[in-house]
Amino acid sequence: EYWLKTNIRAYFSRVYAGVVLIAYLFILFLLYFDKKYFNLFKIADYNVIYYFAILTSSFFMLGFYYYYANILFFYKKSKIISGVTFITAFFSVVMSYFFTMYFGLEGAAYSTLITYVIYLILIAYAAKKHENRIQLTWINDFLLPAITILFIIVSGFYFSKIF
């Protein structure tokens, strides 16, 4: 009841997005600082920063997945989690194969992102089905993650070009 009254889910979404963005920007700063002064990492191709941005977005979505999966674990609905995992794993393998074949590393990164987005959507709706007090909102559940992902990917593309 407490988490419903205090809207802790909205708070979690905002704090989680902020922490991920701060960590991501810190890593970009370290890479830039390293290239300018030390060159310890010896990165041959700075397009890797763009791939890193896409994968950061993927794991950002996975964090939201864990939030909703915990609701299903609470209700002991591990069969649903297993089914969703199997479906998305199959989809991921097929999509990764074709995306990697046609787009290389960038395709593999994007297939991971798309897989985690599908993973989140399926788990969120399953959690809502078993916990009817969950109100999925556009701002906290869709708009905030979309804006965060867009910022990470665009900044990753930008930084990969200026490094």
Side-chain angles (χ1 to χ4, degrees):
E1 289 297 320
Y2 176 76
W3 64 276
L4 289 172
K5 291 177 185 173
T6 59
N7 203 4
I8 199 163
R9 196 167 47 91
Y11 176 75
F12 165 78
S13 297
R14 291 182 187 111
V15 169
Y16 179 62
V19 168
V20 168
L21 286 175
I22 289 168
Y24 169 73
L25 291 174
F26 180 72
I27 290 171
L28 283 181
F29 171 76
L30 284 178
L31 289 173
Y32 178 76
F33 190 74
D34 176 65
K35 181 181 184 220
K36 189 163 180 116
Y37 298 108
F38 301 110
N39 204 19
L40 295 173
F41 293 117
K42 299 186 186 336
I43 297 173
D45 181 10
Y46 279 90
N47 280 333
V48 75
I49 294 170
Y50 180 54
Y51 308 141
F52 169 71
I54 298 167
L55 292 175
T56 299
S57 300
S58 302
F59 291 113
F60 173 70
M61 296 307 293
L62 192 59
F64 280 105
Y65 157 83
Y66 289 135
Y67 177 82
Y68 290 106
N70 282 332
I71 294 169
L72 293 173
F73 278 122
F74 176 78
Y75 287 107
K76 298 180 179 161
K77 300 293 182 184
S78 58
K79 286 183 181 179
I80 293 171
I81 296 171
S82 298
V84 168
T85 301
F86 180 76
I87 290 167
T88 54
F90 176 77
F91 185 71
S92 176
V93 168
V94 172
M95 191 169 46
S96 293
Y97 175 77
F98 288 109
F99 275 40
T100 304
M101 186 185 333
Y102 292 109
F103 304 112
L105 284 175
E106 186 176 351
Y110 273 115
S111 71
T112 302
L113 175 61
I114 293 167
T115 298
Y116 285 156
V117 167
I118 292 168
Y119 209 21
L120 171 63
I121 290 169
L122 292 176
I123 284 294
Y125 281 109
K128 183 176 177 5
K129 186 177 176 182
H130 292 285
E131 176 56 73
N132 57 7
R133 295 177 291 180
I134 294 175
Q135 299 297 319
L136 297 176
T137 62
W138 279 104
I139 292 175
N140 291 322
D141 298 306
F142 301 105
L143 189 60
L144 179 65
I147 290 171
T148 305
I149 287 172
L150 185 64
F151 174 79
I152 290 172
I153 291 175
V154 168
S155 66
F157 181 75
Y158 173 76
F159 282 111
S160 70
K161 300 302 178 197
I162 66 166
F163 267 59

